[in-house]
Coordinates of all heavy atoms in Angstrom, one line a residue:
M1 N -78.6 -119.7 -209.5 CA -77.4 -119.8 -208.6 C -76.2 -120.3 -209.5 O -76.4 -121.3 -210.2 CB -77.8 -120.8 -207.5 CG -76.6 -121.1 -206.7 SD -77.0 -121.8 -205.0 CE -76.5 -120.2 -204.1
P2 N -75.0 -119.7 -209.3 CA -73.9 -120.0 -210.1 C -73.4 -121.4 -209.6 O -73.6 -121.9 -208.5 CB -72.8 -118.9 -209.6 CG -73.5 -118.0 -208.7 CD -74.9 -118.5 -208.3
T3 N -72.8 -122.1 -210.7 CA -72.5 -123.5 -210.3 C -70.9 -123.6 -210.4 O -70.3 -124.5 -209.8 CB -72.9 -124.4 -211.4 OG1 -72.6 -124.0 -212.7 CG2 -74.5 -124.5 -211.3
D4 N -70.2 -122.6 -210.9 CA -68.6 -122.6 -210.9 C -68.2 -122.2 -209.5 O -68.9 -121.3 -208.8 CB -68.1 -121.9 -212.1 CG -68.2 -120.3 -212.0 OD1 -69.4 -119.9 -211.8 OD2 -67.2 -119.6 -212.2
A5 N -66.9 -122.4 -209.1 CA -66.4 -122.0 -207.9 C -66.3 -120.5 -207.7 O -66.6 -119.9 -206.6 CB -65.0 -122.5 -207.6
V6 N -65.9 -119.8 -208.7 CA -65.8 -118.3 -208.7 C -67.2 -117.7 -208.5 O -67.4 -116.8 -207.7 CB -65.1 -117.7 -209.9 CG1 -65.2 -116.1 -210.0 CG2 -63.6 -118.1 -209.9
G7 N -68.1 -118.1 -209.2 CA -69.5 -117.6 -209.1 C -70.1 -117.9 -207.7 O -70.7 -117.1 -207.2
R8 N -69.9 -119.1 -207.2 CA -70.4 -119.3 -206.0 C -69.7 -118.7 -204.9 O -70.3 -118.0 -203.9 CB -70.2 -120.8 -205.6 CG -71.2 -121.7 -206.4 CD -71.1 -123.3 -206.1 NE -70.1 -123.7 -205.2 CZ -69.0 -124.5 -205.5 NH1 -68.8 -124.4 -206.8 NH2 -68.0 -124.8 -204.5
F9 N -68.4 -118.3 -204.9 CA -67.6 -117.5 -204.0 C -68.2 -116.1 -204.0 O -68.4 -115.6 -203.0 CB -66.1 -117.6 -204.4 CG -65.3 -116.6 -203.5 CD1 -65.2 -116.7 -202.1 CD2 -64.6 -115.5 -204.2 CE1 -64.4 -115.8 -201.4 CE2 -63.9 -114.7 -203.7 CZ -63.7 -114.7 -202.1
L10 N -68.2 -115.5 -205.2 CA -68.8 -114.3 -205.4 C -70.2 -114.0 -204.7 O -70.4 -113.1 -204.1 CB -68.8 -113.7 -206.8 CG -67.5 -113.5 -207.4 CD1 -67.6 -113.2 -209.0 CD2 -66.6 -112.3 -206.7
A11 N -71.0 -115.2 -204.9 CA -72.4 -115.0 -204.4 C -72.4 -115.1 -202.9 O -73.2 -114.4 -202.2 CB -73.1 -116.2 -205.0
A12 N -71.3 -115.7 -202.3 CA -71.2 -115.8 -200.9 C -70.8 -114.5 -200.2 O -71.0 -114.3 -199.0 CB -70.3 -116.9 -200.4
L13 N -70.2 -113.6 -201.0 CA -69.7 -112.3 -200.4 C -70.9 -111.3 -200.3 O -71.9 -111.4 -200.9 CB -68.6 -111.8 -201.4 CG -67.4 -112.5 -201.6 CD1 -66.6 -111.8 -202.8 CD2 -66.5 -112.4 -200.3
D14 N -70.7 -110.5 -199.3 CA -71.6 -109.3 -199.1 C -71.4 -108.4 -200.4 O -70.5 -108.5 -201.0 CB -71.3 -108.5 -197.9 CG -70.0 -107.8 -197.9 OD1 -69.8 -106.9 -198.4 OD2 -69.2 -108.3 -197.1
P15 N -72.5 -107.6 -200.8 CA -72.4 -106.8 -201.9 C -71.1 -106.0 -202.1 O -70.7 -105.9 -203.2 CB -73.7 -106.0 -201.9 CG -74.6 -106.7 -201.0 CD -73.7 -107.3 -200.0
E16 N -70.6 -105.3 -201.1 CA -69.5 -104.5 -201.1 C -68.3 -105.2 -201.5 O -67.6 -104.9 -202.6 CB -69.2 -103.8 -199.9 CG -68.1 -102.8 -199.9 CD -67.9 -102.2 -198.6 OE1 -68.8 -101.9 -197.9 OE2 -66.8 -101.9 -198.3
H17 N -68.1 -106.4 -200.9 CA -66.8 -107.2 -201.2 C -67.1 -107.9 -202.6 O -66.1 -108.0 -203.3 CB -66.6 -108.1 -200.1 CG -66.0 -107.6 -199.0 ND1 -66.8 -107.4 -197.8 CD2 -64.9 -107.0 -198.7 CE1 -65.9 -106.9 -196.8 NE2 -64.8 -106.6 -197.4
R18 N -68.3 -108.2 -203.0 CA -68.5 -108.8 -204.2 C -68.2 -107.8 -205.4 O -67.5 -108.3 -206.4 CB -70.0 -109.2 -204.4 CG -70.3 -109.8 -205.7 CD -71.9 -110.2 -205.8 NE -72.3 -111.0 -204.4 CZ -73.2 -110.5 -203.7 NH1 -74.0 -109.4 -204.1 NH2 -73.6 -111.1 -202.7
K19 N -68.4 -106.6 -205.0 CA -68.0 -105.6 -206.2 C -66.5 -105.5 -206.3 O -65.8 -105.5 -207.4 CB -68.6 -104.3 -205.9 CG -68.3 -103.2 -206.9 CD -69.1 -101.9 -206.5 CE -69.0 -100.8 -207.6 NZ -69.6 -99.6 -207.2
V20 N -65.8 -105.4 -205.1 CA -64.3 -105.2 -205.2 C -63.7 -106.5 -205.8 O -62.8 -106.5 -206.6 CB -63.9 -105.0 -203.7 CG1 -62.4 -105.2 -203.5 CG2 -64.4 -103.8 -203.2
V21 N -64.1 -107.7 -205.3 CA -63.5 -108.9 -205.7 C -63.9 -109.1 -207.2 O -63.1 -109.5 -208.0 CB -63.8 -110.1 -205.0 CG1 -63.4 -111.4 -205.5 CG2 -63.4 -110.0 -203.6
G22 N -65.0 -108.7 -207.6 CA -65.4 -108.9 -209.0 C -64.5 -108.0 -209.9 O -64.5 -108.4 -211.2
A23 N -64.0 -106.9 -209.5 CA -63.2 -106.0 -210.3 C -61.7 -106.5 -210.4 O -60.9 -106.0 -211.2 CB -63.2 -104.7 -209.7
R24 N -61.4 -107.5 -209.7 CA -60.0 -107.9 -209.6 C -59.9 -108.9 -210.8 O -60.8 -109.4 -211.4 CB -59.7 -108.9 -208.3 CG -59.7 -108.0 -207.1 CD -59.3 -108.8 -206.0 NE -59.3 -107.9 -204.8 CZ -59.1 -108.4 -203.4 NH1 -58.8 -109.7 -203.3 NH2 -59.0 -107.5 -202.6
P25 N -58.6 -109.2 -211.3 CA -58.3 -110.0 -212.4 C -58.9 -111.4 -212.2 O -58.9 -111.9 -211.0 CB -56.8 -110.1 -212.5 CG -56.3 -108.8 -211.7 CD -57.4 -108.7 -210.7
R26 N -59.3 -112.0 -213.2 CA -59.8 -113.4 -213.2 C -59.0 -114.3 -212.4 O -59.5 -115.3 -211.6 CB -60.3 -114.0 -214.6 CG -60.8 -115.3 -214.7 CD -62.1 -115.4 -214.1 NE -62.7 -116.7 -214.3 CZ -64.0 -117.0 -213.7 NH1 -64.7 -116.1 -213.3 NH2 -64.4 -118.2 -213.9
E27 N -57.7 -114.3 -212.7 CA -56.7 -115.3 -212.0 C -56.9 -115.2 -210.5 O -56.7 -116.0 -209.8 CB -55.3 -115.0 -212.5 CG -55.1 -115.3 -214.0 CD -55.6 -114.1 -214.9 OE1 -55.6 -113.0 -214.3 OE2 -55.8 -114.5 -215.9
E28 N -56.9 -113.9 -210.0 CA -57.1 -113.7 -208.5 C -58.3 -114.1 -208.1 O -58.4 -114.8 -206.9 CB -56.9 -112.2 -208.2 CG -56.8 -111.9 -206.7 CD -56.3 -110.4 -206.4 OE1 -55.9 -109.8 -207.4 OE2 -56.6 -110.1 -205.3
Q29 N -59.5 -114.0 -208.8 CA -60.7 -114.4 -208.3 C -60.6 -116.0 -208.2 O -61.2 -116.6 -207.3 CB -61.7 -114.1 -209.4 CG -62.1 -112.7 -209.4 CD -63.2 -112.3 -210.5 OE1 -63.8 -113.2 -211.0 NE2 -63.2 -111.0 -210.8
V30 N -60.0 -116.7 -209.2 CA -59.9 -118.1 -209.1 C -59.1 -118.6 -207.9 O -59.4 -119.5 -207.3 CB -59.2 -118.7 -210.4 CG1 -58.8 -120.2 -210.3 CG2 -60.2 -118.4 -211.6
R31 N -58.0 -117.8 -207.5 CA -57.3 -118.2 -206.4 C -58.1 -118.0 -205.2 O -58.0 -118.8 -204.2 CB -56.0 -117.3 -206.3 CG -54.8 -117.7 -207.3 CD -53.6 -117.1 -206.9 NE -53.6 -115.6 -206.9 CZ -53.4 -114.9 -208.0 NH1 -53.2 -115.4 -209.2 NH2 -53.5 -113.6 -207.8
L32 N -58.9 -116.9 -205.1 CA -59.6 -116.6 -203.9 C -60.8 -117.7 -203.8 O -61.0 -118.2 -202.6 CB -60.3 -115.2 -203.9 CG -59.2 -114.2 -203.7 CD1 -60.0 -112.7 -204.1 CD2 -58.8 -114.1 -202.3
A33 N -61.3 -118.1 -204.9 CA -62.4 -119.1 -204.8 C -61.8 -120.4 -204.4 O -62.5 -121.1 -203.6 CB -63.1 -119.3 -206.2
A34 N -60.5 -120.8 -204.8 CA -60.0 -122.0 -204.3 C -59.7 -122.1 -202.9 O -59.9 -123.0 -202.2 CB -58.7 -122.1 -205.2
A35 N -59.2 -120.9 -202.3 CA -59.0 -120.8 -201.0 C -60.3 -120.8 -200.2 O -60.3 -121.5 -199.2 CB -58.2 -119.5 -200.7
W36 N -61.3 -120.3 -200.7 CA -62.6 -120.4 -200.2 C -63.2 -121.8 -200.0 O -63.6 -122.3 -199.0 CB -63.7 -119.5 -201.0 CG -65.0 -119.6 -200.5 CD1 -65.7 -119.1 -199.5 CD2 -66.1 -120.2 -201.3 NE1 -67.1 -119.4 -199.5 CE2 -67.3 -120.0 -200.5 CE3 -66.1 -120.9 -202.6 CZ2 -68.6 -120.6 -201.2 CZ3 -67.4 -121.3 -203.0 CH2 -68.5 -121.1 -202.2
E37 N -62.9 -122.6 -201.1 CA -63.4 -124.0 -201.1 C -62.6 -124.8 -200.1 O -63.0 -125.7 -199.5 CB -63.2 -124.6 -202.5 CG -64.4 -124.1 -203.5 CD -64.2 -124.7 -204.8 OE1 -63.2 -125.0 -205.4 OE2 -65.4 -125.2 -205.2
R38 N -61.2 -124.5 -200.1 CA -60.4 -125.2 -199.1 C -60.9 -124.8 -197.6 O -60.9 -125.7 -196.7 CB -59.0 -124.8 -199.2 CG -58.3 -125.5 -200.4 CD -56.8 -125.3 -200.4 NE -56.4 -123.8 -200.4 CZ -56.2 -122.9 -201.4 NH1 -56.4 -123.6 -202.6 NH2 -55.9 -121.8 -201.3
E39 N -61.2 -123.6 -197.3 CA -61.7 -123.2 -196.1 C -63.0 -124.1 -195.8 O -63.2 -124.5 -194.5 CB -62.0 -121.7 -196.1 CG -62.4 -121.1 -194.8 CD -61.4 -121.1 -193.7 OE1 -60.1 -120.9 -194.1 OE2 -61.6 -121.0 -192.5
L40 N -63.9 -124.1 -196.6 CA -65.1 -124.7 -196.4 C -64.9 -126.3 -196.1 O -65.6 -126.8 -195.3 CB -66.1 -124.7 -197.6 CG -66.8 -123.3 -197.8 CD1 -67.4 -123.3 -199.3 CD2 -67.9 -123.3 -196.8
E41 N -63.9 -126.8 -196.7 CA -63.6 -128.2 -196.7 C -62.9 -128.5 -195.3 O -63.1 -129.6 -194.6 CB -62.9 -128.8 -197.8 CG -63.7 -128.9 -199.1 CD -62.7 -129.2 -200.4 OE1 -61.6 -129.5 -200.2 OE2 -63.3 -129.2 -201.4
A42 N -62.0 -127.7 -194.9 CA -61.0 -128.0 -193.9 C -61.7 -127.6 -192.5 O -61.2 -128.1 -191.4 CB -59.8 -127.2 -194.1
D43 N -62.6 -126.7 -192.4 CA -62.9 -126.3 -191.0 C -64.1 -126.9 -190.4 O -65.3 -126.9 -191.1 CB -63.3 -124.7 -191.0 CG -63.5 -124.1 -189.6 OD1 -64.2 -124.6 -188.9 OD2 -62.7 -123.2 -189.5
D44 N -64.0 -127.7 -189.4 CA -65.1 -128.5 -188.8 C -66.3 -127.5 -188.3 O -67.4 -127.9 -188.3 CB -64.6 -129.3 -187.6 CG -63.7 -130.5 -188.0 OD1 -63.8 -130.7 -189.3 OD2 -62.9 -131.0 -187.4
E45 N -65.9 -126.4 -187.7 CA -66.9 -125.4 -187.3 C -67.9 -125.1 -188.5 O -69.0 -124.9 -188.3 CB -66.2 -124.2 -186.8 CG -65.7 -124.4 -185.4 CD -64.9 -122.9 -185.0 OE1 -65.4 -121.9 -185.5 OE2 -64.2 -123.1 -184.1
L46 N -67.3 -124.9 -189.6 CA -68.1 -124.6 -190.8 C -69.0 -125.8 -191.1 O -70.2 -125.5 -191.7 CB -67.3 -124.0 -191.9 CG -66.6 -122.8 -191.9 CD1 -65.7 -122.6 -193.1 CD2 -67.5 -121.7 -191.6
D47 N -68.6 -127.0 -190.9 CA -69.4 -128.2 -191.3 C -70.6 -128.0 -190.4 O -71.8 -128.4 -190.8 CB -68.8 -129.5 -190.8 CG -67.7 -129.8 -191.9 OD1 -67.8 -129.1 -193.0 OD2 -66.7 -130.6 -191.5
T48 N -70.6 -127.7 -189.1 CA -71.7 -127.6 -188.1 C -72.6 -126.6 -188.6 O -73.9 -126.7 -188.8 CB -71.3 -127.3 -186.7 OG1 -70.4 -128.4 -186.4 CG2 -72.4 -127.2 -185.9
L49 N -72.1 -125.3 -188.9 CA -72.8 -124.1 -189.5 C -73.5 -124.6 -190.7 O -74.6 -124.1 -191.1 CB -71.8 -123.0 -189.7 CG -72.6 -121.6 -190.1 CD1 -73.6 -121.2 -189.1 CD2 -71.6 -120.5 -190.2
D50 N -72.8 -125.3 -191.6 CA -73.5 -125.6 -192.8 C -74.6 -126.4 -192.7 O -75.6 -126.4 -193.5 CB -72.3 -126.4 -193.7 CG -72.8 -126.7 -195.1 OD1 -73.2 -125.8 -195.8 OD2 -72.7 -127.9 -195.6
E51 N -74.5 -127.3 -191.7 CA -76.0 -128.2 -191.4 C -77.1 -127.2 -191.1 O -78.3 -127.5 -191.4 CB -75.6 -129.0 -190.3 CG -74.7 -130.2 -190.7 CD -74.3 -131.2 -189.6 OE1 -75.1 -131.1 -188.7 OE2 -73.4 -132.0 -189.8
L52 N -76.9 -126.2 -190.3 CA -77.9 -125.1 -189.9 C -78.1 -124.1 -191.1 O -79.4 -123.9 -191.3 CB -77.3 -124.4 -188.7 CG -77.1 -125.2 -187.5 CD1 -76.4 -124.3 -186.4 CD2 -78.4 -125.9 -186.9
S53 N -77.1 -123.7 -191.8 CA -77.4 -122.7 -192.9 C -76.2 -122.7 -193.9 O -75.2 -122.1 -193.5 CB -77.6 -121.3 -192.1 OG -77.6 -120.2 -193.2
P54 N -76.4 -123.4 -194.9 CA -75.3 -123.4 -195.9 C -74.8 -122.1 -196.4 O -73.7 -121.8 -196.5 CB -75.9 -124.2 -197.0 CG -76.9 -125.2 -196.4 CD -77.4 -124.3 -195.3
P55 N -75.8 -121.1 -196.7 CA -75.4 -119.9 -197.2 C -74.6 -119.1 -195.9 O -73.5 -118.3 -196.3 CB -76.7 -119.1 -197.3 CG -77.7 -120.1 -197.6 CD -77.3 -121.3 -196.8
A56 N -75.0 -119.2 -194.7 CA -74.1 -118.6 -193.6 C -72.7 -119.3 -193.6 O -71.8 -118.5 -193.4 CB -74.8 -118.9 -192.3
A57 N -72.4 -120.5 -193.7 CA -71.3 -121.2 -193.7 C -70.5 -120.7 -195.0 O -69.2 -120.4 -194.8 CB -71.4 -122.8 -193.8
E58 N -71.0 -120.5 -196.0 CA -70.2 -120.0 -197.2 C -69.9 -118.5 -197.0 O -68.8 -118.3 -197.4 CB -71.1 -120.2 -198.5 CG -71.3 -121.7 -199.0 CD -72.2 -121.8 -200.1 OE1 -72.8 -120.9 -200.5 OE2 -72.2 -123.0 -200.6
A59 N -70.7 -117.7 -196.5 CA -70.4 -116.4 -196.1 C -69.3 -116.2 -195.2 O -68.4 -115.4 -195.3 CB -71.7 -115.6 -195.7
E60 N -69.3 -117.0 -194.2 CA -68.3 -117.0 -193.2 C -66.9 -117.4 -193.8 O -65.9 -116.8 -193.5 CB -68.7 -117.8 -192.0 CG -67.7 -118.1 -190.9 CD -67.3 -116.7 -190.2 OE1 -68.0 -115.8 -190.3 OE2 -66.1 -116.7 -189.6
A61 N -66.9 -118.6 -194.6 CA -65.8 -119.0 -195.1 C -65.2 -117.8 -196.1 O -63.9 -117.5 -196.1 CB -65.9 -120.3 -195.9
A62 N -66.1 -117.2 -196.8 CA -65.6 -116.0 -197.7 C -65.0 -114.9 -196.9 O -63.9 -114.4 -197.2 CB -66.8 -115.6 -198.5
R63 N -65.7 -114.5 -195.8 CA -65.2 -113.4 -194.9 C -63.8 -113.9 -194.4 O -62.9 -113.0 -194.4 CB -66.2 -113.3 -193.7 CG -65.7 -112.1 -192.9 CD -66.4 -112.0 -191.6 NE -66.2 -113.2 -190.7 CZ -65.1 -113.5 -190.0 NH1 -64.0 -112.6 -190.1 NH2 -64.9 -114.5 -189.4
R64 N -63.5 -115.0 -194.0 CA -62.3 -115.4 -193.5 C -61.2 -115.4 -194.6 O -60.1 -115.0 -194.2 CB -62.3 -117.0 -193.0 CG -63.2 -117.1 -191.7 CD -63.2 -118.7 -191.2 NE -64.1 -118.8 -190.1 CZ -64.3 -120.1 -189.8 NH1 -63.6 -121.0 -190.2 NH2 -65.1 -120.1 -188.7
V65 N -61.5 -115.9 -195.7 CA -60.6 -115.8 -196.8 C -60.1 -114.3 -197.2 O -58.9 -114.0 -197.2 CB -61.0 -116.4 -198.1 CG1 -60.2 -116.1 -199.4 CG2 -61.2 -117.9 -197.8
L66 N -61.2 -113.4 -197.0 CA -60.8 -112.0 -197.5 C -60.1 -111.4 -196.3 O -59.2 -110.6 -196.4 CB -62.1 -111.2 -197.7 CG -62.7 -111.6 -199.0 CD1 -64.0 -110.7 -199.3 CD2 -61.7 -111.4 -200.3
E67 N -60.5 -111.8 -195.0 CA -59.7 -111.3 -193.8 C -58.3 -111.7 -193.8 O -57.5 -110.8 -193.4 CB -60.6 -111.9 -192.6 CG -59.8 -111.2 -191.4 CD -60.7 -111.8 -190.2 OE1 -61.7 -111.1 -189.9 OE2 -60.4 -112.8 -189.6
R68 N -57.9 -112.8 -194.2 CA -56.6 -113.2 -194.2 C -55.8 -112.5 -195.3 O -54.5 -112.6 -195.5 CB -56.5 -114.8 -194.4 CG -56.7 -115.6 -193.2 CD -56.2 -117.0 -193.3 NE -56.8 -117.6 -194.5 CZ -57.9 -118.5 -194.5 NH1 -58.6 -118.7 -193.2 NH2 -58.4 -119.1 -195.5
G69 N -56.6 -112.0 -196.3 CA -55.9 -111.2 -197.4 C -55.2 -112.1 -198.5 O -54.2 -111.8 -199.1
I70 N -55.8 -113.2 -198.7 CA -55.2 -114.0 -199.7 C -55.5 -113.5 -201.1 O -56.5 -113.0 -201.4 CB -56.0 -115.5 -199.6 CG1 -55.7 -116.2 -198.3 CG2 -55.4 -116.4 -200.8 CD1 -56.5 -117.4 -198.1
D71 N -54.4 -113.3 -201.7 CA -54.4 -112.7 -203.2 C -53.2 -113.1 -204.0 O -52.4 -114.0 -203.6 CB -54.6 -111.3 -203.2 CG -53.7 -110.5 -202.2 OD1 -52.5 -110.9 -202.0 OD2 -54.0 -109.4 -202.0

């Protein structure tokens, strides 16, 4: 399992989005991963989901970041 933020963010994405984001410049991947980490920290709903299923919470945060189009 990846330990850096970008690796963890990419692992949280579904395969299709992982491929798309993985092809983006490293700087953009870092920005997206930082937004993902902020989403995980800031959203109380994700805290509850994280208690039940950490991978599901990470995937939901990743989906939200991509949905907002942060780049």
Side-chain angles (χ1 to χ4, degrees):
M1 170 157 259
T3 57
D4 70 309
V6 172
R8 291 187 349 263
F9 172 65
L10 290 172
L13 295 170
D14 63 74
E16 181 181 326
H17 286 110
R18 186 178 307 125
K19 184 176 180 180
V20 171
V21 173
R24 292 181 180 181
R26 178 70 179 178
E27 296 80 26
E28 189 171 348
Q29 292 177 15
V30 169
R31 283 193 304 272
L32 288 168
W36 173 72
E37 288 187 316
R38 286 190 302 273
E39 183 75 21
L40 283 170
E41 292 172 2
D43 193 307
D44 292 337
E45 288 178 16
L46 291 176
D47 285 343
T48 302
L49 182 58
D50 188 51
E51 291 178 16
L52 300 172
S53 174
E58 291 178 352
E60 175 61 17
R63 184 194 64 74
R64 291 178 184 181
V65 167
L66 292 181
E67 186 176 270
R68 284 195 305 261
I70 296 173
D71 50 23

